[in-house]
């Protein structure tokens, strides 16, 4: 996909997005890791954004209903009109959208649990300039379930072996970086997280498995269509690199078949 920059055609390094769902009101795509949803002052050097690329791909404007971090892959939902974008945003704000994520974390968490830990608000660069925004902690709750565990014979840190796990995450609230911050809070940071994770484990996965990304993906989203009332289940199977790691660690049988790309089922 090419765009014009100072009269020159510049080709995007990203392939066209797989379309998860589309009708006259909504469109959902599978966002790859390493792509911002929209322009941000925190990443001034970035050239490519999901909004821009999807607009070019389908030939019309799109209106994001929520966000995924740059490093997170998976279901990303847009309205195809301002009204649709607004209705979807309200559904997210009212916590009427059920989301499921998969993540690889350091250590062996409990079989299941609930992280109820308020998070200080991270001011968004899209807030009104000059508006005083409270950064007081906001309620934040995440449920998790451990799907698989492994112990590798490598002394990555101070122990002779290293433990990792695959977890399913259900954020009941939608705070910025909630999953990454909550997993850090319980001492099981997500692998590949340069901000909240642990560099020594991130480097181990890069060197041992060739894995350079944040191992967090939104694999499924359930909501009621804001215009038709239809119950929607939007599924984005794991990206090839994430799925390959799941296979390498022997965790394939722990993952729902619909969350795996067809060639790995």
């Amino acid at each position: 996909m090419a765009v014009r920059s100072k009269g020159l055609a510049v080709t995007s390094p990203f392939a066209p997005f797989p379309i998860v769902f589309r009708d006259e009101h909504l469109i959902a795509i599978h966002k790859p890791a390493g792509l911002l949803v929209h322009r941000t002052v925190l990443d001034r050097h970035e050239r490519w954004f999901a909004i821009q690329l999807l607009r070019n791909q389908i030939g019309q404007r799109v209106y994001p209903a929520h966000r995924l971090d740059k490093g997170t892959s998976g279901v990303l939902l847009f309205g195809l009109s301002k009204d649709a974008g607004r209705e979807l945003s309200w559904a997210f704000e009212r916590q009427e959208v059920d989301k499921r994520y998969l993540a690889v974390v350091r250590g062996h968490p409990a079989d299941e649990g609930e992280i109820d830990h308020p998070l200080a608000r991270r001011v968004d660069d899209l807030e009104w300039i000059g508006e005083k925004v409270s950064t007081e902690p906001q309620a934040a709750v995440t449920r998790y379930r451990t799907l698989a565990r492994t112990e590798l014979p490598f002394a990555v840190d101070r122990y002779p072996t290293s433990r990792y796990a695959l977890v399913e995450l259900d954020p009941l609230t939608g705070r910025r970086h909630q999953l990454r911050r909550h997993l850090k809070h319980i001492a099981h940071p997500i692998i590949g997280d340069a901000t909240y994770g642990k560099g020594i484990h991130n480097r181990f996965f890069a060197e041992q498995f060739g894995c350079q990304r944040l191992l967090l993906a939104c694999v499924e989203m359930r909501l009621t269509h804001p215009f038709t009332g239809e119950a929607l289940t939007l599924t984005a199977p794991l990206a090839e690199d994430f799925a390959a790691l799941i296979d390498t660690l022997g965790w394939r049988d722990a993952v729902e078949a619909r969350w795996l790309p067809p060639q790995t089922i």
Side-chain angles (χ1 to χ4, degrees), residues 21 23-28 60-66 77-94 97 223-228 232:
F21 174 85
D23 67 5
E24 62 182 305
H25 303 289
L26 319 177
I27 186 168
Q60 69 178 95
R61 294 191 66 178
V62 295
Y63 301 84
H66 64 116
L77 181 60
F78 298 84
L80 291 174
S81 67
K82 287 184 178 179
D83 287 344
R86 182 171 57 249
E87 291 291 336
L88 289 171
S89 294
W90 286 343
F92 279 91
E93 290 177 12
R94 294 191 297 261
V97 181
L223 69 153
T224 299
H225 195 296
F227 297 99
T228 69
L232 299 179

Side-chain angles (χ1 to χ4, degrees), residues 1 9 26 52 55 72 82 91 99 101 118 120 125 146 156 159 167 178 209 247 254 260:
M1 186 183 302
L26 319 177
Q52 165 205 32
R55 178 196 64 204
T72 305
K82 287 184 178 179
K99 295 155 284 185
Y101 290 76
D125 56 277
T146 301
V156 176
Y159 303 106
V167 295
Q178 176 175 316
F209 304 113
D247 280 339
L260 293 168

Side-chain angles (χ1 to χ4, degrees), residues 236-251:
L238 291 173
E240 297 292 342
D241 53 355
F242 203 148
L245 179 70
I246 294 297
D247 280 339
T248 298
L249 295 175
W251 291 342

Side-chain angles (χ1 to χ4, degrees), residues 17-243:
F17 301 120
I19 304 298
V20 173
F21 174 85
R22 183 179 183 180
D23 67 5
E24 62 182 305
H25 303 289
L26 319 177
I27 186 168
I29 64 168
H30 186 166
K31 184 190 87 70
L35 179 66
L36 289 167
V37 174
H38 53 64
R39 193 177 302 276
T40 167
V41 298
L42 301 179
D43 288 277
R44 295 178 186 273
H45 64 284
E46 292 292 342
R47 173 178 291 178
W48 306 105
F49 312 94
I51 291 176
Q52 165 205 32
L53 292 175
L54 181 58
R55 178 196 64 204
N56 293 344
Q57 181 174 329
I58 68 173
Q60 69 178 95
R61 294 191 66 178
V62 295
Y63 301 84
H66 64 116
R67 75 174 76 215
L68 290 178
D69 292 342
K70 178 181 176 181
T72 305
S73 60
V75 182
L76 184 61
L77 181 60
F78 298 84
L80 291 174
S81 67
K82 287 184 178 179
D83 287 344
R86 182 171 57 249
E87 291 291 336
L88 289 171
S89 294
W90 286 343
F92 279 91
E93 290 177 12
R94 294 191 297 261
Q95 300 172 21
E96 295 172 351
V97 181
D98 178 51
K99 295 155 284 185
R100 288 291 186 277
Y101 290 76
L102 292 181
V104 177
V105 303
R106 182 181 68 82
H108 285 176
D111 289 348
E112 59 183 34
E114 183 173 288
I115 308 167
D116 186 348
H117 177 66
L119 296 170
R121 183 174 184 179
R122 296 297 176 93
V123 178
D124 194 316
D125 56 277
L126 296 180
E127 307 271 17
W128 291 105
I129 295 175
E131 180 182 356
K132 186 175 181 180
V133 178
S134 172
T135 57
E136 288 296 310
Q138 299 173 296
V141 181
T142 301
R143 290 177 183 155
Y144 70 88
R145 185 165 65 98
T146 301
L147 303 179
R149 300 180 178 89
T150 191
E151 187 165 353
L152 303 179
F154 297 95
V156 176
D157 209 334
R158 61 184 184 275
Y159 303 106
T161 60
S162 298
R163 295 179 171 185
Y164 303 99
L166 176 68
V167 295
E168 178 185 331
L169 301 168
D170 174 14
L172 304 187
T173 51
R175 309 308 176 196
R176 196 172 190 188
H177 300 170
Q178 176 175 316
L179 298 180
R180 296 161 60 193
R181 295 164 74 186
H182 268 178
L183 270 296
K184 177 185 178 182
H185 175 70
I186 64 169
H188 295 294
I190 299 173
I191 299 300
D193 192 335
T195 303
Y196 305 104
K198 199 165 184 181
I200 192 170
H201 292 280
N202 297 344
R203 289 190 295 274
F204 170 70
F205 269 71
E207 295 165 2
Q208 185 68 26
F209 304 113
C211 184
Q212 306 281 350
R213 58 163 292 173
L214 174 69
L215 289 172
L216 176 65
C218 180
V219 291
E220 192 164 281
M221 191 177 292
R222 298 186 181 192
L223 69 153
T224 299
H225 195 296
F227 297 99
T228 69
E230 177 188 0
L232 299 179
T233 298
L234 312 176
T235 303
L238 291 173
E240 297 292 342
D241 53 355
F242 203 148

